[in-house]
């Protein structure tokens, strides 16, 4: 059975819901017309993911996850999913979830003939925290963990590109973009806090700014250490 990303997320939530209601793996398999091995793989853990309270004390990890999810996420019926073509990014996100005791499920998907990695997870408490956190609370969280937040945001919604100067040479620059102006302004403020000099925010529907000083591009990549888009010369297009 081949499910697209949206069907897979919804089925995952339905499996969790039926399991919480006392259904066994074979019963869920029959009820939802899903392969038994798929249901078993989602549910056969030592601790059920919805019964484990996230560890909100690990604020460095929370800052990273917030950066990722404020950059890019997909939400459906209480279940969150991150889809990316970069396996290293998916594994980094999955590891961070595990660090705060949230079990994620990693799967590979084919979308329009291209391979993607999808991390789905379900945690009512984490989702409530994610929905309720304000910019002022995020700012407090990032007082000591600006680097972790920026790593998550850049991995999720940043990129490294090159521009051709009048002398014919190519120079790298970092792109930060987001449709939510307030979140992007917050990201920019964190860069200022760390001593960087980002450009002004431009754009209307999709806002963006750059980090274009050559020494600051190298400094950012060495300080933040993103797992993807981390080499000068990479192009994310």
């Amino acid at each position: 059975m081949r499910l697209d990303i949206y069907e897979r997320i919804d089925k995952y939530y339905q499996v969790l819901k039926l399991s919480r209601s006392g259904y066994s793996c074979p019963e869920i398999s029959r009820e939802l017309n899903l392969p038994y091995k798929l249901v078993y793989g989602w549910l056969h853990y030592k601790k059920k993911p919805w019964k484990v309270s996230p560890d909100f004390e690990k604020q460095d990890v929370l800052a990273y996850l917030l950066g990722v999810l404020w950059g890019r996420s997909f939400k459906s019926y209480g279940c969150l999913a991150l889809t990316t073509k970069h396996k290293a990014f998916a594994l980094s996100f999955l590891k961070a979830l595990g660090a705060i005791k949230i079990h994620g499920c990693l799967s590979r998907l084919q979308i329009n003939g291209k391979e993607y990695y999808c991390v789905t997870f379900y945690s009512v408490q984490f989702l409530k925290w994610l929905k309720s956190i304000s910019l002022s609370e995020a700012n407090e969280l990032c007082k000591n963990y600006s680097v972790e937040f920026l790593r998550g945001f850049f991995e999720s919604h940043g990129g490294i590109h090159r521009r051709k100067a009048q002398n014919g040479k190519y120079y790298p620059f970092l792109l930060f973009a987001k449709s939510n102006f307030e979140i992007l302004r917050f990201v920019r403020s964190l860069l200022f806090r760390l001593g960087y000099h980002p450009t002004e925010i431009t754009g209307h529907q999709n806002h963006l700014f750059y980090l274009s000083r050559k020494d600051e591009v190298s400094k950012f990549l060495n300080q933040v250490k993103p797992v993807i888009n981390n080499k000068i010369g990479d192009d994310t297009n």
Side-chain angles (χ1 to χ4, degrees):
M1 173 180 286
R2 184 178 294 276
L3 303 173
D4 66 26
I5 176 62
Y6 306 108
E7 293 173 327
R8 192 176 188 89
I9 293 169
D10 289 339
K11 289 293 186 183
Y12 179 65
Y13 170 74
Q14 292 175 47
V15 167
L16 297 181
K17 186 175 181 180
L18 289 176
S19 182
R20 292 176 70 184
S21 300
Y23 282 64
S24 66
C25 284
E27 291 171 334
I28 295 173
S29 177
R30 290 192 295 271
E31 182 73 17
L32 299 179
N33 191 30
L34 290 172
Y36 173 80
K37 287 185 177 180
L38 179 63
V39 175
Y40 183 87
W42 280 347
L43 294 178
H44 192 65
Y45 310 123
K46 293 181 180 180
K47 292 184 178 180
K48 297 294 188 290
W50 55 85
K51 292 184 178 180
V52 179
S53 298
D55 183 359
F56 289 107
E57 296 299 317
K58 294 185 177 180
Q59 297 198 344
D60 57 333
V61 181
L62 288 175
Y64 170 78
L65 291 171
L66 183 63
V68 170
L69 294 170
W70 273 11
R72 173 183 56 185
S73 66
F74 175 82
K75 182 162 52 179
S76 173
Y77 303 108
C79 184
L80 275 175
L82 173 81
T83 305
T84 175
K85 62 182 179 181
H86 299 287
K87 184 177 181 180
F89 177 32
L91 291 174
S92 176
F93 183 69
L94 187 66
K95 182 179 178 180
L97 289 174
I100 62 168
K101 299 181 181 179
I102 294 179
H103 187 94
C105 178
L106 177 64
S107 56
R108 288 190 296 180
L109 303 171
Q110 290 288 331
I111 302 176
N112 297 326
K114 296 182 179 180
E115 186 174 74
Y116 289 82
Y117 298 88
C118 180
V119 178
T120 53
F121 67 98
Y122 179 86
S123 170
V124 173
Q125 290 175 287
F126 182 82
L127 291 176
K128 287 181 177 178
W129 173 81
L130 182 63
K131 289 178 65 176
S132 66
I133 190 168
S134 64
L135 281 170
S136 60
E137 290 171 329
N139 185 56
E140 187 67 25
L141 172 66
C142 292
K143 277 187 176 180
N144 297 318
Y145 303 109
S146 297
V147 167
E148 286 78 6
F149 179 92
L150 289 170
R151 181 186 303 122
F153 188 89
F154 187 75
E155 289 176 356
S156 178
H157 213 66
I160 181 168
H161 304 274
R162 294 184 300 161
R163 60 181 175 84
K164 188 176 182 179
Q166 291 182 346
N167 60 10
K169 293 183 179 180
Y170 287 88
Y171 294 92
F173 67 91
L174 304 181
L175 170 67
F176 298 81
K178 183 70 180 176
S179 59
N180 187 311
F181 178 81
E182 294 301 323
I183 289 180
L184 194 63
R185 185 166 66 174
F186 173 68
V187 173
R188 187 169 176 266
S189 73
L190 295 183
L191 287 168
F192 274 117
R193 183 182 298 177
L194 294 174
Y196 295 94
H197 300 84
T199 63
E200 294 292 330
I201 297 176
T202 60
H204 298 286
Q205 292 184 341
N206 191 35
H207 309 287
L208 54 88
F209 69 83
Y210 305 100
L211 198 62
S212 56
R213 296 187 182 186
K214 186 177 180 180
D215 59 329
E216 292 190 353
V217 170
S218 299
K219 176 185 173 183
F220 180 89
L221 297 178
N222 290 327
Q223 182 179 22
V224 175
K225 293 181 171 58
V227 297
I228 58 173
N229 306 328
N230 53 15
K231 295 179 181 179
I232 294 177
D234 284 357
D235 195 319
T236 56
N237 286 335

